[in-house]
C-alpha cells in the first residue's frame, strides 16, 4: 500500500471518529441536565422541572410522581369543592365505603311513601356497603314498606304485632308520662323498637362472624332533604342533631361506632342503672342523655338534613314551650324538627320573631341564615299538599309517592316477596296479610 493511500485511510477513520465525538459532546450535556433535573427532589429543581413542558416525555421516563397525600376523612373549612362536594366529603365517603355500617330504621309506616324513598336515596345508596335493619309494628300502613324493594342491601326485617309492655317499678320511678301521647307505655314501646333493632344487629353479626364499624339509628318517619354526610361519623363520640332537645338530647337520630351505639340503643335495659343512679321523672330526651352520661359516652351535635313528618296539629305561632312545625321545603338542615309539606306561613324575619319566643332548651331548632320556614300546623294538612311535596322532593321521590297511591294487592305482595328473597333474617307476617291489611282485598 502506498504511503498516500495509507494516509487517506487514516484521515477517513479520524474524520469518522471525530464526527461521533462531536455528536456525543453535543448530546451529553443536555442529557445529563435532564437526568439531574428528573432525579432531583429539591423543591426549586422540581419547580423548574415542571416549567419545561417540552421535556415531558423524558421527565415521565425518569420520574415517578409521589402518591398524593391522603385527604382528611371529615369536612375541613378549607376543603375545595367540586360538584357541590368538598374533597373531604369525597374522601370520607370512600373511607366509610370500606367500613361495615348498619342502618337501624324504627317506627310506624304512617307517611312512609314520603319518607322511605328519601332514606333509600340519601342514606342507603350513599353508603352502598350499609345493611338495612327494619323494626316496625304491623298496622294498616305497613304495606308501604314495599318501597324498600329498591334498598341496595337488607340484612333483617321484623314487622310484629304490638302488645303492651309490662311496666316495672324502676320504669315507673325513672320515666314520666308527661309529654308522651301514650304515657309511659308510649315511651316503653318506643324504647323497645330501638333496643330490639340492636338485638337484630347483634344476631346478624353473630351469624356472619363480624362486627359493624358504624350504626346509624334513624326513624321511619324521617324525611331526608339531602344526603347524610361523612362528617357525621366521629370515632369515639355519639352524634345527635341539635335542637328539639326537650331538656335532654335530640333522640330522633343517632350515629356512632359499635361501642357508643350499644349504649345509645339500650333504651330499656339501662333503665335499672338510671334508677340506681337516682334519676326520676325523665322524658325520652332526658333519659337518652342520662344513659349516655352515666355510661361515660361522649356526644356531640351536628346539623343534619332531615325532619320528622308529622300529622299532629300544633298551636301557631308556637308559644314558649310550643312546637314549631317546619315546611318540608325549608332550605336548611332541619335536624329532626317536626315538619309537613305546606305553603310556608312564616319565613324571613317572621321566623326569627317566632323562634325567639321559644325556650332554647325545649322545642327550639336551628333557624339562622334563612334555613327554616314554618307551617301553620294548627289544622289538617292543606289541600293540594301532594303538589307541594312533589315540587320540594323532586321527580324521583314524587314518582314513589304516586306509586304507593296506585299500588295494587298483587304488586304489593310481589314487592314483599322480592324483599324477603334477598333479606338475611325475615320475621314478618305473610306478605299477603301485610298488603291486604292496608289495601283491602
Amino acid at each position: 500500500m502506498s504511503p498516500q493511500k495509507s494516509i487517506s485511510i487514516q484521515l477517513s477513520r479520524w474524520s469518522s471518529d471525530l464526527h461521533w465525538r462531536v455528536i456525543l459532546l453535543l448530546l451529553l450535556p443536555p442529557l445529563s441536565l435532564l437526568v439531574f433535573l428528573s432525579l432531583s427532589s429539591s423543591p426549586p429543581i422540581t419547580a423548574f422541572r415542571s416549567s419545561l413542558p417540552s421535556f415531558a416525555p423524558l421527565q415521565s421516563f425518569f420520574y415517578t410522581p409521589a402518591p398524593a397525600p391522603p385527604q382528611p376523612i371529615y369536612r375541613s373549612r378549607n376543603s375545595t369543592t367540586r360538584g357541590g362536594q368538598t374533597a373531604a366529603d369525597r374522601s370520607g365517603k370512600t373511607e366509610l365505603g370500606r367500613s361495615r355500617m348498619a342502618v337501624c330504621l324504627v317506627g310506624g309506616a304512617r307517611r312512609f311513601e314520603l319518607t322511605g324513598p328519601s332514606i333509600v336515596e340519601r342514606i342507603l345508596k350513599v353508603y352502598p356497603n350499609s345493611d338495612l335493619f327494619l323494626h316496625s309494628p304491623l298496622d294498616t300502613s305497613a304495606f308501604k314498606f314495599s318501597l324498600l324493594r329498591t334498598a341496595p342491601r337488607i340484612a333483617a326485617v321484623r314487622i310484629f304485632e304490638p302488645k303492651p309492655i309490662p311496666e316495672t317499678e324502676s320504669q315507673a320511678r325513672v320515666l314520666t308520662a308527661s309529654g308522651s301521647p301514650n304515657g309511659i307505655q308510649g315511651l316503653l314501646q318506643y324504647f323497645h323498637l330501638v333496643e330490639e333493632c340492636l338485638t337484630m344487629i347483634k344476631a346478624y353479626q353473630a351469624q356472619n362472624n363480624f362486627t359493624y364499624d358504624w350504626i346509624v339509628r334513624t326513624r321511619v318517619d324521617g324525611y331526608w332533604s339531602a344526603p347524610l354526610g361523612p362528617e357525621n361519623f366521629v370515632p369515639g363520640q355519639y352524634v345527635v342533631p341539635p335542637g328539639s332537645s326537650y331538656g335532654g338530647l335530640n333522640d330522633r337520630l343517632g350515629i356512632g361506632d359499635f361501642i357508643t351505639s350499644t349504649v345509645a340503643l339500650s333504651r330499656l335495659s339501662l333503665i335499672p342503672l338510671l334508677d340506681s343512679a337516682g334519676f326520676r321523672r325523665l322524658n325520652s330526651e332526658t333519659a337518652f342523655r342520662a344513659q349516655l352520661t352515666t355510661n361515660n359516652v361522649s356526644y356531640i351535635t351536628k346539623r343534619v338534613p332531615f325532619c320528622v313528618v308529622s300529622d299532629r296539629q300544633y298551636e301557631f305561632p308556637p308559644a314558649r314551650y310550643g312546637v314549631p312545625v317546619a315546611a318540608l321545603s325549608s332550605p336548611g338542615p332541619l335536624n329532626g324538627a317536626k315538619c309537613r309539606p305546606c305553603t310556608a306561613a312564616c319565613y324571613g324575619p317572621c321566623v326569627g320573631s317566632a323562634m325567639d319566643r321559644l325556650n332554647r332548651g325545649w322545642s327550639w331548632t336551628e333557624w339562622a341564615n334563612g334555613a327554616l320556614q314554618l307551617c301553620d300546623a294548627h289544622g289538617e294538612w292543606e289541600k293540594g299538599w301532594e303538589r307541594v311535596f312533589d315540587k320540594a322532593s323532586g321527580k324521583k321521590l314524587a314518582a314513589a309517592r304516586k306509586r304507593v297511591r296506585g299500588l295494587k294487592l298483587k304488586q304489593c305482595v310481589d314487592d314483599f316477596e322480592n324483599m324477603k328473597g334477598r333479606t338475611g333474617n325475615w320475621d314478618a307476617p305473610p306478605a299477603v296479610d301485610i298488603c291486604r291489611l292496608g289495601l283491602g282485598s
Side-chain angles (χ1 to χ4, degrees), residues 211-415:
T211 300
Y212 283 106
D213 300 298
W214 301 99
I215 297 178
V216 177
R217 202 279 297 172
T218 188
R219 292 171 48 144
V220 166
D221 56 4
Y223 171 81
W224 288 78
S225 58
L228 174 64
E231 69 276 8
N232 296 292
F233 296 80
V234 184
Q237 292 188 302
Y238 202 69
V239 173
V240 297
S244 301
S245 56
Y246 295 91
L249 285 179
N250 190 329
D251 65 349
R252 296 169 184 179
L253 170 75
I255 303 168
D257 55 36
F258 185 76
I259 294 175
T260 58
S261 293
T262 298
V263 174
L265 273 59
S266 298
R267 302 298 314 258
L268 276 178
S269 58
L270 286 178
I271 289 179
L273 178 64
L274 301 185
D275 186 24
S276 299
F279 287 99
R280 297 291 181 267
R281 295 186 59 78
L282 303 180
N283 60 20
S284 181
E285 290 79 9
T286 51
F288 182 49
R289 183 178 62 185
Q291 72 185 66
L292 294 182
T293 56
T294 303
N295 288 276
N296 298 314
V297 172
S298 176
Y299 60 84
I300 56 175
T301 61
K302 286 183 174 290
R303 301 184 71 184
V304 192
F306 86 107
C307 62
V308 174
V309 178
S310 175
D311 285 280
R312 292 181 65 185
Q313 298 175 18
Y314 297 94
E315 179 187 6
F316 182 82
R320 181 169 176 77
Y321 291 96
V323 177
V325 177
L328 183 143
S329 56
S330 294
L334 294 177
N335 309 304
K338 294 292 180 70
C339 68
R340 62 166 67 176
C342 75
T343 303
C346 180
Y347 50 89
C350 170
V351 174
S353 299
M355 301 307 288
D356 284 342
R357 287 195 296 267
L358 297 180
N359 183 301
R360 190 178 177 92
W362 197 247
S363 61
W364 179 93
T365 191
E366 295 277 357
W367 59 271
N369 301 319
L372 178 67
Q373 298 176 353
L374 295 178
C375 301
D376 179 352
H378 81 279
E380 301 287 341
W381 284 20
E382 68 185 65
K383 185 177 180 180
W385 66 262
E386 296 92 343
R387 183 174 61 256
V388 175
F389 174 83
D390 293 352
K391 182 179 179 180
S393 64
K395 292 182 179 179
K396 195 166 190 177
L397 270 61
R401 179 192 68 77
K402 294 172 184 176
R403 186 181 192 276
V404 168
R405 185 181 60 184
L407 194 62
K408 303 300 182 184
L409 181 64
K410 183 181 184 306
Q411 190 178 27
C412 175
V413 172
D414 290 345
D415 288 344

